[in-house]
Amino acid sequence: MSDYQIKKNPTVYDAIIVGSGAGGGMAGYVLANAGLKVLMLEAGPYWDPKTDSQQLKNPWESPRRGGGTTRPFGDFDGSYGGWDLEGEPYTKKDKTEFDWYRSRMLGGRTNHWGRISLRMGPLDFKSHQIDGLTEDWPITYDEVKPYYDKVDRMIGVYGSVENIENEPDGIFLPPPKPRLHELFIRKGAQKAGVTVIPGRGSVLTEALPGNKDRGQCFFCGQCGRACKVYADFSASSCLVIPAIKTGNLKVIPNAMVRTVITGDDGLAKGVSYVSKEDGQEYQVNAKTVILGASACESARILLNSASAQHPGGLANSSGVVGKYLHDSTGASLSGFIPELMDRKRYNEDGVGSVHIYSPWWLDNKKLDFPRGYHIEYGGGMRMPGYGFMNGIEKRNGLVPGKDGKMKEPGGFGASLKDDYRRFYGTTVGMAGRGTAIAREDNYCEIDPSVVDKFGIPVLRFHYKWTDAEIKQAKHMQETFQSIMHEMGAILTSKLDGPETNYGLEAPGRIIHEVGTVRMGDDPKKSALNKWCQAHDCKNLFVVDAAPFVQQGDKNATWTILALSMRTSEYILRERKKLNV
Amino acid sequence: MNRRDSLKALGVGSLSATLLLNGCKTDKKKAGNDAAAPHVEEQGRQPFEIERDKELLSEKFFTDHEMASIIALSDIIIPKDERSGSASDAGVPAFIEFIVKDIPDHQTPMRGGLKWLDMQCLNRFGHSFPECTHDQQIEMVTLIAYPKKATPDMKQGVSFFNRMRDLTATGFFTSKMGVEDIGYVGNKPNRWEGVPADVLKQYGFDSVS
């Protein structure tokens, strides 16, 4: 399992995979299990949840009590990275905004993600008919469905059969039951006309049939730290580490890929990378090169791989590489449920993914914005951490004290200490995640004058929200307020208005960025064909979220996994036909 | 792998959850004082994180005088009662010392706020805050602890005290003593079967699942 030390090797691998996240991990798993000799390059260190996860640590075991100084989602979060990496800058153009989250580690961002595992629906793949604003994928849901099914069986996902047209059901393990605050939310949402169904998450609420390597969930609610018994999906634990065990996959960690090398025939020969361990440059060769470095990083590698045969960047004769970048929209609201004050204590950690979930439920013909969003919910008796009940002075004057009298907000002493106890476990939060329209004018490109510490030219982003996304955020806020009202909650977060785009997060903050190396049937309008194979370079594939033509409101990971599996099986078929 | 095997894989075997949690701890300092000398965890952390923690722990930000104020204020905010000890019993002052180094945005408001407080007390009582009697300290704190009631000339003190209250609450309720006090009983292997029946009944959800 540990043959991942760096060696300079004249070997020509069957395939080189750049990146070890959902896309790269799945490609490595499929190809290594099929007997191919595969080399995987990961820009961060080797990381195994079994030994490296901070799961089951108590808040006092962190000097910052789980605060987010060095990791944006807290000291215990399973991510080596963030929106800002030392020595690895990116720039922004025309005062537009884009925040780029990178996890440099085996498994990438799948170690810390929310495990919310949604299939895109038939309408998400063919969305042009809805309003003409977006382009269709070259593939249909029915073509991807068999791969979603295989991913469900192989990795495991809980959920419930709902028969909602554009929220396709999967092959589900039982979903966790709702927590108390989630029953309040469900009741309020129903009154507000909002659909609530059980969540869908890649957590093994029961043993995964036929799999002896992965443990079963023991309900600590800490999937974000990555699971030591592999009961949730991380690309590290579920794909890459098992693939290493086949003996066919070698991983080189701390290998930052600079370019894909192409030959006079225009085909990919291998890649050039810098080792973060010795600062040396290496070149490795393969018959097939597969990029799974993340949507933006893969676009960056292609654009930096310009050559005589590929003057505008590799796989970029269409000029679309870097364009059509889109991240989910996001806005949120929080409050508390007075009825839950002084509630009984018990362990309600549950799973670390969502227990309940609202799929998009409305008809856009009656709305002033295109497309929809889903809602994720939070709250309850969580493990205290940095910022615990911050701003109690904004809360403890809003409801009567135990004596039935209103209190002066703020305070100190025994009565304040008791307020913390009374309010504990009353908070609720809602967050919308919606469809952003893929636009040519939202893009990343190579900054002509800036390099990172490895001398690799960096990305420059240009991204603007439009009325479509802002109005969607406004609708989210109105919906959240209406649910909060119906469930008897009191709002605690400030209400965002037009001056803050209704709380619409800056692009990149939701970390669902996709679309930068899109697929299509027309080589003039797309970089990849429907198998995620470069139109211009037949032994080059992209398996992360870059090939997405247009995402729905669904989180990208499950689709990345399905498409990467589909592409990997295509590569195996083409190899048999000696095409690649 | 079933749930029992999962726990075996975690190294739990047939041990109870409590033992598991104890077993996970690398330091066995007495309850409440965990913040006094935090252990720098290395497994699963990046070299720069480990270095940074060690460096911050070796530095001293607050003067002894400032620290005396922090101890007094934190114990005024969270005093000992029948259920648990005080903020300083739970190591809150050491947490505050660490966190202002970790999050430098706290430094000027905390240092300046403590100085503001000293000046108020010198003018009112002829003593700096830590040298005031407990009653004088309470009198002063009362002027800045209630944002809506505070007079305009006390607003800077209100801002400082809001921050101090937040940091004290974090420090206390994230300590072992505070977690026990607040009644967080998770962070251990278990099986989630939904809301307990008596609680469902209490809130009128017993007819739904």
Side-chain angles (χ1 to χ4, degrees):
Chain A
M1 147 171 178
S2 62
D3 184 25
Y4 56 86
Q5 71 269 28
I6 294 171
K7 292 173 202 152
K8 249 186 158 175
N9 200 321
T11 307
V12 177
Y13 288 90
D14 290 322
I16 288 173
I17 299 170
V18 181
S20 64
M26 177 59 85
Y29 184 90
V30 172
L31 298 182
N33 275 288
L36 270 63
K37 294 296 174 191
V38 184
L39 178 66
M40 179 179 280
L41 303 172
E42 164 51 50
Y46 191 82
W47 201 88
D48 182 348
K50 184 185 286 178
T51 48
D52 297 320
S53 164
Q54 306 295 304
Q55 190 179 28
L56 293 179
K57 287 234 168 81
N58 286 295
W60 59 86
E61 294 174 78
S62 154
R64 58 188 59 74
R65 309 300 168 93
T69 323
T70 61
R71 302 187 189 191
F73 298 99
D75 229 9
F76 300 126
D77 187 58
S79 174
Y80 286 0
W83 284 283
D84 296 295
L85 301 184
E86 196 269 319
E88 299 189 45
Y90 52 92
T91 60
K92 301 169 196 181
K93 199 175 173 182
D94 301 340
K95 293 183 178 162
T96 65
E97 282 187 293
F98 189 84
D99 295 331
W100 185 21
Y101 195 103
R102 292 157 287 174
S103 281
R104 301 292 196 212
M105 61 201 300
L106 194 78
R109 293 178 287 186
T110 64
N111 291 302
H112 86 133
W113 70 303
R115 271 77 179 181
I116 301 174
S117 303
L118 307 170
R119 296 180 177 207
M120 297 226 311
L123 277 174
D124 296 320
F125 286 99
K126 297 291 176 188
S127 57
H128 185 77
Q129 54 175 302
I130 301 171
D131 48 28
L133 289 171
T134 54
E135 289 183 49
D136 287 344
W137 291 60
I139 49 178
T140 62
Y141 173 73
D142 286 338
E143 287 174 86
V144 185
K145 180 180 182 295
Y147 299 95
Y148 279 131
D149 287 351
K150 280 205 256 189
V151 170
D152 286 359
R153 288 198 187 92
M154 181 180 142
I155 290 172
V157 54
Y158 66 75
S160 58
V161 172
E162 300 289 336
N163 297 307
I164 301 170
E165 187 201 357
N166 205 38
E167 297 284 333
D169 297 318
I171 298 153
F172 292 131
L173 300 166
K177 288 187 175 157
R179 305 180 184 91
L180 183 57
H181 68 278
E182 291 159 340
L183 293 173
F184 277 84
I185 291 168
R186 193 169 73 181
K187 197 166 91 178
Q190 277 160 357
K191 283 189 198 165
V194 177
T195 307
V196 175
I197 64 172
R200 294 176 173 181
S202 48
V203 179
L204 302 186
T205 51
E206 296 294 347
L208 185 64
N211 188 312
K212 290 188 165 55
D213 297 323
R214 294 185 53 199
Q216 200 177 330
C217 181
F218 54 82
F219 303 99
C220 70
Q222 297 170 21
C223 298
R225 302 183 187 190
C227 187
K228 283 175 174 286
V229 303
Y230 301 172
D232 60 11
F233 170 71
S234 294
S236 51
S237 55
C238 301
L239 297 173
V240 182
I241 291 169
I244 291 170
K245 287 181 182 163
T246 65
N248 292 325
L249 175 72
K250 172 172 163 166
V251 177
I252 300 181
N254 297 311
M256 180 77 189
V257 171
R258 187 182 303 274
T259 55
V260 176
I261 301 162
T262 47
D264 294 339
D265 55 3
L267 292 175
K269 299 282 171 228
V271 305
S272 172
Y273 70 91
V274 55
S275 166
K276 291 177 174 176
E277 290 168 9
D278 61 13
Q280 300 294 308
E281 193 76 14
Y282 293 86
Q283 294 191 352
V284 280
N285 305 311
K287 293 173 190 158
T288 300
V289 173
I290 300 168
L291 299 182
S294 83
C296 296
E297 194 72 52
S298 288
R300 181 189 181 194
I301 292 169
L302 291 175
L303 293 171
N304 277 329
S305 301
S307 63
Q309 285 74 25
H310 303 283
L314 182 54
N316 195 30
S317 61
S318 63
V320 301
V321 173
K323 292 176 181 167
Y324 301 100
L325 168 64
H326 54 300
D327 182 24
S328 298
T329 59
S332 59
L333 189 68
S334 50
F336 70 95
I337 309 172
E339 233 186 301
L340 286 184
M341 293 184 66
D342 300 305
R343 61 184 291 192
K344 184 181 172 180
R345 307 304 202 237
Y346 53 89
N347 182 348
E348 63 167 12
D349 284 343
V351 304
S353 192
V354 290
H355 285 208
I356 59 167
Y357 165 77
S358 288
W360 177 238
W361 70 101
L362 291 174
D363 178 359
N364 290 91
K365 292 194 181 82
K366 298 166 188 158
L367 299 166
D368 65 351
F369 61 92
R371 313 305 170 90
Y373 57 89
H374 72 248
I375 311 173
E376 304 169 7
Y377 302 95
M381 298 186 283
R382 315 301 300 175
M383 180 190 290
Y386 178 78
F388 179 79
M389 278 198 225
N390 264 3
I392 194 162
E393 74 278 2
K394 296 186 191 104
R395 232 179 290 186
N396 67 350
L398 298 175
V399 284
K402 273 183 180 155
D403 57 3
K405 290 182 197 153
M406 295 304 281
K407 283 179 77 164
E408 188 62 34
F412 59 88
S415 135
L416 175 76
K417 191 176 183 182
D418 205 42
D419 280 345
Y420 285 110
R421 297 166 182 151
R422 301 196 65 215
F423 279 88
Y424 176 61
T426 65
T427 56
V428 280
M430 340 196 139
R433 299 284 180 260
T435 302
I437 307 295
R439 292 188 174 82
E440 191 177 9
D441 198 38
N442 287 337
Y443 57 85
C444 55
E445 61 185 359
I446 299 300
D447 188 310
S449 52
V450 181
V451 295
D452 66 11
K453 66 178 171 185
F454 310 110
I456 305 174
V458 308
L459 285 178
R460 178 167 72 178
F461 291 91
H462 180 276
Y463 197 125
K464 279 185 193 164
W465 289 130
T466 69
D467 232 29
E469 290 84 16
I470 293 166
K471 281 182 175 156
Q472 197 186 71
K474 178 169 184 274
H475 193 272
M476 289 181 191
Q477 296 289 357
E478 288 161 2
T479 302
F480 302 158
Q481 286 174 55
S482 144
I483 298 172
M484 290 278 195
H485 173 76
E486 295 293 354
M487 62 192 275
I490 296 176
L491 301 183
T492 48
S493 55
K494 80 172 167 61
L495 286 178
D496 284 293
E499 66 291 342
T500 52
N501 287 345
Y502 303 94
L504 178 62
E505 301 269 3
R509 298 307 290 190
I510 309 304
I511 324 182
H512 293 167
E513 74 280 2
V514 307
T516 46
V517 190
R518 69 177 188 171
M519 59 159 79
D521 291 328
D522 183 352
K524 292 195 182 67
K525 292 181 177 171
S526 58
L528 308 171
N529 68 16
K530 66 177 183 177
W531 302 104
C532 299
Q533 178 181 28
H535 289 302
D536 302 346
C537 181
K538 69 175 186 179
N539 66 341
L540 176 71
F541 296 82
V542 182
V543 293
D544 47 36
F548 282 44
V549 177
Q550 172 64 56
Q551 71 176 334
D553 65 72
K554 325 297 197 304
N555 313 9
T557 305
W558 223 243
T559 302
I560 296 172
L561 290 167
L563 292 181
S564 177
M565 180 188 273
R566 180 173 172 272
T567 292
S568 303
E569 293 187 1
Y570 172 77
I571 291 170
L572 294 174
R573 287 198 301 274
E574 290 297 292
R575 276 176 57 85
K576 278 195 186 142
K577 292 189 234 160
L578 302 176
N579 286 337
V580 294
Chain B
M1 205 193 278
N2 65 24
R3 191 165 284 103
R4 179 172 300 176
D5 291 334
S6 295
L7 298 184
K8 269 188 194 153
L10 256 184
V12 185
S14 59
L15 298 178
S16 74
T18 321
L19 281 170
L20 165 72
L21 294 181
N22 286 333
C24 286
K25 279 190 291 191
T26 45
D27 51 345
K28 306 261 185 196
K29 286 187 291 294
K30 64 183 175 194
N33 273 342
D34 306 85
H39 163 79
V40 177
E41 178 65 40
E42 302 202 355
Q43 184 65 39
R45 303 188 73 228
Q46 300 159 93
F48 90 89
E49 293 179 295
I50 298 163
E51 277 315 300
R52 191 170 177 282
D53 281 4
K54 285 182 179 165
E55 206 174 293
L56 295 183
L57 288 166
S58 71
E59 293 167 358
K60 181 170 152 82
F61 178 78
F62 289 116
T63 64
D64 292 346
H65 176 82
E66 288 168 333
M67 192 40 80
S69 291
I70 288 170
I71 292 167
L73 282 166
S74 67
D75 283 345
I76 287 169
I77 292 166
I78 296 191
K80 182 177 191 305
D81 66 2
E82 68 289 342
R83 198 192 292 186
S84 64
S86 71
S88 61
D89 291 336
V92 169
F95 161 71
I96 294 178
E97 165 70 22
F98 179 86
I99 206 72
V100 301
K101 292 179 294 199
D102 190 48
I103 306 175
D105 284 352
H106 284 309
Q107 290 179 2
T108 300
M110 284 296 289
R111 174 151 280 158
L114 291 167
K115 188 73 179 166
W116 181 95
L117 195 62
D118 275 346
M119 291 309 295
Q120 288 289 330
C121 290
L122 280 166
N123 287 328
R124 275 162 211 275
F125 311 118
H127 300 288
S128 67
F129 182 79
E131 289 159 336
C132 283
T133 66
H134 184 70
D135 286 351
Q136 287 169 333
Q137 287 178 341
I138 295 294
E139 187 183 332
M140 182 65 235
V141 163
T142 304
L143 296 173
I144 57 175
Y146 300 95
K148 292 235 169 96
K149 216 165 63 169
T151 53
D153 57 325
M154 289 292 114
K155 291 293 182 195
Q156 293 94 350
V158 169
S159 296
F160 162 71
F161 196 77
N162 284 344
R163 184 182 299 262
M164 184 66 204
R165 189 195 290 113
D166 283 348
L167 290 179
T168 302
T170 281
F172 183 79
F173 289 108
T174 59
S175 70
K176 190 165 189 294
M177 179 193 291
V179 166
E180 280 164 14
D181 179 310
I182 206 76
Y184 170 70
V185 292
N187 198 32
K188 57 185 65 140
N190 73 111
R191 187 174 176 108
W192 169 249
E193 303 274 20
V195 180
D198 60 323
V199 176
L200 283 177
K201 198 165 174 215
Q202 182 188 348
Y203 293 98
F205 288 113
D206 43 338
S207 56
V208 295
S209 63

